[in-house]
Amino acid sequence: MREWWHWSPAEDGDPRSFGIVGVGRFGSAVCRQLMQSGADVLAVDRSSKAIEELRQLEPSIEARVLDCTDEESLREAGILDMDTVVVAISEPIEASITATLIAKDSEGTRVRRVIARATSDLHEKMLKRVGADRVVFPSRMQGERLGLELVRPNLMERLELDELNSIEEIKVPERFVGLSLRDLNLRKNYRVNVLAAGPAADLMVNPPASHVLNEGHVLVVMGLTDDLQNLPKT
C-alpha cells in the first residue's frame, strides 16, 4: 500500500482544483475525500445514474453528465481548466486512454498532471504512453487514499487508531526546517504529539525537545485526525 501512493507533487505548488473523470466506486471515493479536505472538485461521467448517486452522497459537488471521450464536452465542462485530472474510468480501455490524452494534450489545456486508473500492465503502458503522470491499480480504499494524498502531498503514511485518532508519517514541512521541536511546540500549537523524527531509515523515537528538523527528514505524529490535517501540507 505504501509504495502505491508515494509520488512527488507538482514542483510549482499545491494544486487545489481537481477534475474527476468517471464516478464509479473509485472515482466517488476520490471525490468525497477531496471535498472533505476543502478542495475544488468537478466530476463528470457519461452515466446520469452515477452522477445522481454521487450528488446524493455529496449534494454540493459540481457534477455533470457528458461524454468523457469528447474533447469539446470536457472543455466546456471545465475539466481542462483543472490543476489535476483523475481519469477514474477503466473500461472500456479506449475511453480511459482517450480521456487521458485529451486532458494532457488538448490545445490550451491547463491540466498540470493526470492520474489514470488501469486494469492491466498493458493498459498501464498505454496510459503512460499518452501522457499519464501516474497510473494506479485501485480499490475503493485506495481511492480514498489518493484523494487524501492529493491535498496533503507531504503525507507519507497514515494509521487510523479509531474513528477520531490517527498516527501519521509526514515529510518535514518547509516551514519547520531548521527549527527544533521546542521552537515548534507542536503539542501546544497543533495539538499533536511527536513520536519519532529524523531520516526515514534511521528514526529517533521520542526525540528530545532540542531535536532540529532537517529538510528531507520525516516526522511521526499522533493526535486527532482533524488536528493532524491542520499541519502544513508541504
Side-chain angles (χ1 to χ4, degrees), residues 123-208:
H123 192 187
E124 177 185 22
K125 290 178 182 178
M126 296 172 73
L127 288 167
K128 286 184 175 179
R129 191 160 293 179
V130 298
D133 299 289
R134 177 71 175 178
V135 178
V136 297
F137 294 82
S139 65
R140 180 173 180 175
M141 177 174 289
Q142 289 173 326
E144 294 168 353
R145 294 297 290 270
L146 176 60
L148 178 62
E149 186 272 342
L150 285 172
V151 291
R152 295 189 59 197
N154 70 330
L155 178 61
M156 299 172 67
E157 185 60 284
R158 167 183 281 181
L159 172 63
E160 294 182 355
L161 300 175
D162 54 35
E163 292 184 357
L164 297 176
N165 300 279
S166 299
I167 295 175
E168 291 185 352
E169 181 181 2
I170 64 172
K171 296 176 185 176
V172 171
E174 236 177 75
R175 71 180 69 171
F176 288 0
V177 172
L179 300 176
S180 69
L181 294 177
R182 180 182 293 108
D183 296 330
L184 293 168
N185 200 349
L186 297 180
R187 180 178 295 180
K188 177 183 178 181
N189 294 322
Y190 292 93
R191 300 196 301 181
V192 302
N193 295 307
V194 177
L195 302 182
D202 188 25
L203 285 174
M204 177 186 296
V205 177
N206 195 23

Side-chain angles (χ1 to χ4, degrees), residues 86-114:
V86 177
V87 179
I89 51 178
S90 59
E91 295 179 351
I93 289 175
E94 294 86 349
S96 70
I97 293 171
T98 301
T100 299
L101 183 61
I102 291 172
K104 197 69 178 179
D105 284 343
S106 290
E107 183 178 352
T109 182
R110 297 179 182 177
V111 177
R112 290 191 285 169
R113 53 180 175 169
V114 176

Side-chain angles (χ1 to χ4, degrees), residues 78-90:
I79 288 292
L80 302 188
D81 293 324
M82 299 293 104
D83 294 315
T84 297
V85 169
V86 177
V87 179
I89 51 178
S90 59

Side-chain angles (χ1 to χ4, degrees), residues 20-21 42-46 63-82 98-99 102-103 106:
I20 312 300
V21 180
L42 169 62
V44 298
D45 196 293
R46 67 188 312 163
R64 301 171 190 175
V65 180
L66 54 83
D67 181 355
C68 299
T69 64
D70 184 77
E71 180 177 342
E72 285 310 308
S73 295
L74 291 174
R75 188 187 304 278
E76 290 176 8
I79 288 292
L80 302 188
D81 293 324
M82 299 293 104
T98 301
I102 291 172
S106 290

Side-chain angles (χ1 to χ4, degrees), residues 5 11 25 36 53 57 61 65 104 157 165 173 232-233:
W5 64 299
E11 294 180 356
R25 285 204 312 166
Q36 288 170 12
E53 289 176 350
L57 294 172
I61 194 169
V65 180
K104 197 69 178 179
E157 185 60 284
N165 300 279
K233 295 176 173 57

